[in-house]
C-alpha cells in the first residue's frame, strides 16, 4: 500500500518541543520534495515547511521560522520536522505531502501532491 504516515504529535506545554516524522511505505521519498502543512480548528490549511528531494533546499513559513527544522533521511524513507518553543497557536493537525517539485512545494498551495498523509495532532496547552 502506497502511503505516508505521520507520527510524533501529542500534547505538549507551551515552550516545549516535538519531532514529527513522515514515513513512506510502498514508494521511495527520495524523488519527492516533502511539505509539511497544518490545519487548525476552524482555519484553512497552511504550509509550514518544505524540503527538496536531496535535502539541500529548505524553507519555512514565518509562523515557524527560527523555531523549526526540517530534515530528511532518504535511507530511512522518512522526513522529520523538529518543532521547538511551541506556542498554543501551533495547535493543529500536521500533514506531510509528497510533492513533485520543490517549486510547487514552496508555493504553499498543496499543488503537485502525489501523496498526503492522514495527519498527526499537535496540541500545545498548559
Amino acid at each position: 500500500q502506497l502511503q505516508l504516515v505521520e507520527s510524533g504529535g501529542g500534547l505538549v506545554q507551551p515552550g516545549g518541543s516535538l519531532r514529527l516524522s513522515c514515513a513512506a511505505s510502498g514508494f521511495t521519498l527520495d524523488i519527492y520534495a516533502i511539505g509539511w502543512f497544518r490545519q487548525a480548528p476552524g482555519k484553512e490549511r497552511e504550509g509550514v515547511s518544505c524540503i527538496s528531494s536531496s535535502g539541500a533546499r529548505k524553507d519555512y513559513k514565518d509562523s515557524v521560522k527560527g523555531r523549526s527544522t526540517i530534515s530528511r533521511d532518504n535511507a530511512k524513507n522518512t522526513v522529520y520536522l523538529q518543532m521547538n518553543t511551541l506556542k498554543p497557536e501551533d495547535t493543529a493537525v500536521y500533514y506531510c505531502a509528497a510533492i513533485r517539485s520543490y517549486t510547487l512545494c514552496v508555493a504553499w498551495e498543496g499543488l503537485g501532491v502525489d501523496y498526503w498523509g492522514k495527519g498527526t495532532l499537535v496540541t500545545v496547552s498548559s
Side-chain angles (χ1 to χ4, degrees):
Q1 188 175 3
L2 308 179
Q3 60 179 356
L4 287 174
V5 179
E6 302 94 338
S7 61
L11 174 64
V12 62
Q13 292 187 341
S17 298
L18 283 175
R19 188 176 80 157
L20 306 183
S21 298
C22 170
S25 62
F27 68 101
T28 57
L29 281 181
D30 61 3
I31 64 171
Y32 289 101
I34 301 298
W36 282 98
F37 297 78
R38 69 186 182 185
Q39 187 165 21
K43 295 188 177 181
E44 294 187 353
R45 183 186 65 203
E46 65 171 344
V48 175
S49 182
C50 285
I51 188 167
S52 63
S53 57
S54 68
R57 291 179 290 173
K58 304 174 184 181
D59 202 1
Y60 305 89
K61 291 299 289 285
D62 287 345
S63 57
V64 302
K65 192 172 292 185
R67 301 188 294 121
S68 298
T69 303
I70 192 170
S71 62
R72 67 190 300 158
D73 185 340
N74 285 340
K76 294 183 177 180
N77 224 19
T78 302
V79 173
Y80 305 97
L81 183 67
Q82 176 70 41
M83 303 181 67
N84 302 320
T85 319
L86 284 160
K87 306 174 182 180
E89 51 264 43
D90 294 317
T91 295
V93 178
Y94 285 72
Y95 301 89
C96 64
I99 303 173
R100 295 182 212 123
S101 75
Y102 184 72
T103 300
L104 285 172
C105 190
V106 295
W108 306 112
E109 297 292 330
L111 300 175
V113 175
D114 279 350
Y115 303 99
W116 283 100
K118 293 184 178 180
T120 185
L121 176 63
V122 172
T123 303
V124 184
S125 174
S126 55

